[in-house]
Amino acid sequence: MENKTNVQPERKPVIFSAIQPSGSITLGNYLGALKNWIALQDGYNAIYALADLHTITVRQDPTTFRKNTYDAYALLLAMGIDLEKSIFFIQSQVPEHAQLAWVLNCYTQFGELSRMTQFKDKSQKHADNVNAGLFTYPSLMAADILLYQADLVPVGVDQKQHLELTRNIAERFNMLYSPTFTVPDGYILKNGAKIMSLQDPSKKMSKSDQNANACVHLLDKPDDIIRKFKRAVTDSEACVRYGEGKDGINNLMEIYGCITGKDNAAIEREFEGKGYGEFKLAVGEAVVDHLRPIQEEYTRLIQDKAYLESCFAENAAKASRIASKTLAKVMKKVGFLPMKRS
Ligand code: ATP
Ligand code: LTN
């Protein structure tokens, strides 16, 4: 997905990313995506969102959904999203997202959406509710990105296909009318791009996993984190080395490497001659130590709802100022009449 031409030297490149408040945020979300969001704030014009419109493609209990949204916002601030540097808003509070998504739906082909592997996976997983929103999910995601003329989109590897589709939609619209959207590039981390389930290391670690032991949540208590790592599925070789057929150990090495900055060779040396029990405990403890300050800051922030709500409002207004410009251009090019309110 190389495309350097749309990064103009006179402005800081724009990055956009979003996460759904669809459950409690996991270590996979953090190492695969969110840690990178924090690091990118200095070099880029960073715009981040909680994609709550996407979340209702899977049925949500309203009370839990509201709680997850507050929690995710507070947790991301606790991780280090700095509102002096970045915009961080809630998607449903910026109506331009739903508006542009509708328009883009009409420039996205049924065949393209049918090929999305996430759609296929999620329709199997939620066979009783294969709704139209689940199907058109990628055009809403394209709207999120294109409204801000994003140059780069930091995401986990599982979102690559949606990003390709976003590029195709943008290119198609630009060709049909005139250059309107920046065509974005993906920004996928090498390390931690895909953290796997602790119970089935062939599957990605996912917020919505039914098996509580499969997934470490950032707000899990230290004892629970240690316990989940102790129970992580490994293999029978009892040797800490990266290799084929060792998905469980590879995954634990990846997590440990992301947290400590050590490479695989250093990890292999550190645990030479030691058993899996010792290694799993070390990984658990490293994760607990890393999360401690984040959890403390989250606890402080979540008690201050008034502060959080003022952040929601201020950031939605900032986002809307940018989004409304792109939307107005699109509407005009398509041929809608300008809206004049008396
Ligand atoms: P759900 O279970 O509701 O589908 P999820 O845990 O898969 O949720 P998303 O909200 O879809 O998470 O993704 C948020 C971000 O985290 C995305 O950029 C995604 O690529 C990344 N991500 C999700 N799971 C992982 C994982 N296991 N490893 C690395 N990155 C991940
Ligand atoms: N589909 C994404 C969340 C998401 C997103 C976006 C990511 C919604 N809109 C725009 C990047 C850019 C996911 O992580 N499942």
Side-chain angles (χ1 to χ4, degrees):
M1 270 191 265
E2 272 301 289
N3 179 5
K4 297 272 182 287
T5 50
N6 56 18
V7 181
Q8 289 149 21
E10 65 273 13
R11 68 175 174 113
K12 259 194 191 176
V14 176
I15 54 168
F16 181 91
S17 198
I19 180 166
Q20 301 186 56
S22 54
S24 183
I25 289 178
T26 71
L27 192 63
N29 300 140
Y30 178 61
L31 297 179
L34 303 175
K35 201 159 166 259
N36 208 26
W37 290 17
I38 312 303
L40 291 167
Q41 293 182 106
D42 288 319
Y44 297 90
N45 194 350
I47 306 176
Y48 299 128
L50 291 184
D52 58 345
L53 295 173
H54 281 102
T55 307
I56 64 163
T57 54
V58 172
R59 200 69 73 228
Q60 301 293 317
D61 164 64
T63 307
T64 313
F65 183 29
R66 258 187 298 274
K67 179 180 186 308
N68 284 339
T69 308
Y70 273 106
D71 275 359
Y73 199 95
L75 189 53
L76 265 71
L77 289 186
M79 271 176 209
I81 288 193
D82 179 349
L83 299 177
E84 299 286 315
K85 295 180 188 160
S86 307
I87 300 176
F88 176 39
F89 67 96
I90 299 175
Q91 186 190 32
S92 63
Q93 300 185 345
V94 181
E96 288 82 359
H97 289 251
Q99 290 173 276
L100 183 62
W102 173 256
V103 176
L104 296 184
N105 267 331
C106 302
Y107 296 81
T108 309
Q109 298 304 303
F110 181 87
E112 287 177 310
L113 292 172
S114 311
R115 284 194 288 276
M116 295 294 117
T117 55
Q118 181 177 297
F119 172 68
K120 292 184 214 167
D121 292 349
K122 291 219 168 167
S123 20
Q124 268 181 4
K125 223 166 144 186
H126 307 279
D128 56 334
N129 182 23
V130 184
N131 60 74
L134 195 61
F135 189 63
T136 60
Y137 179 117
S139 20
L140 175 59
M141 179 160 161
D144 297 341
I145 297 166
L146 300 179
L147 278 172
Y148 301 94
Q149 308 292 354
D151 298 289
L152 282 178
V153 184
V155 282
V157 73
D158 60 316
Q159 295 299 310
K160 210 171 152 189
Q161 202 186 21
H162 289 162
L163 220 59
E164 290 289 356
L165 181 59
T166 301
R167 289 170 58 87
N168 291 342
I169 298 171
E171 279 165 357
R172 182 171 307 145
F173 194 94
N174 289 349
M175 288 285 279
L176 271 171
Y177 299 95
S178 54
T180 310
F181 297 124
T182 301
V183 180
D185 280 322
Y187 186 95
I188 294 169
L189 276 182
K190 277 208 193 77
N191 277 336
K194 198 164 183 191
I195 302 296
M196 311 311 277
S197 155
L198 296 185
Q199 289 299 309
D200 176 359
S202 66
K203 264 181 24 193
K204 79 162 187 161
M205 183 182 282
S206 168
K207 275 192 228 93
S208 51
D209 203 310
Q210 300 299 320
N211 183 344
N213 288 325
C215 172
V216 173
H217 299 280
L218 294 201
L219 295 176
D220 280 348
K221 294 194 184 72
D223 288 350
D224 291 334
I225 297 178
I226 301 280
R227 182 177 43 78
K228 288 180 187 182
F229 278 106
K230 278 189 181 161
R231 292 195 185 162
V233 169
T234 49
D235 53 74
S236 54
E237 192 194 27
C239 169
V240 179
R241 65 169 184 91
Y242 199 93
E244 229 172 281
K246 295 180 65 76
D247 294 352
I249 286 296
N250 295 347
N251 189 39
L252 292 179
M253 287 178 74
E254 181 138 5
I255 294 172
Y256 192 65
C258 282
I259 297 274
T260 60
K262 293 175 186 165
D263 62 17
N264 285 341
I267 300 172
E268 284 169 6
R269 274 198 305 278
E270 187 177 343
F271 293 96
E272 208 177 327
K274 295 181 181 159
Y276 284 168
E278 199 168 328
F279 177 51
K280 287 178 179 179
L281 185 64
V283 181
E285 281 172 350
V287 171
V288 166
D289 286 346
H290 186 86
L291 294 183
R292 188 171 295 113
I294 298 175
Q295 292 190 344
E296 283 169 6
E297 181 61 1
Y298 159 84
T299 305
R300 192 183 71 74
L301 284 166
I302 200 65
Q303 285 159 10
D304 195 350
K305 289 270 178 355
Y307 170 71
L308 292 174
E309 282 159 11
S310 73
C311 296
F312 301 165
E314 204 175 296
N315 283 268
K318 281 186 189 168
S320 181
R321 274 197 289 279
I322 305 170
S324 60
K325 287 195 189 124
T326 305
L327 181 67
K329 268 196 222 167
V330 168
M331 301 294 272
K332 188 169 173 207
K333 290 191 189 194
V334 170
F336 288 109
L337 297 184
M339 186 169 54
K340 293 203 177 88
R341 287 215 169 96
S342 51

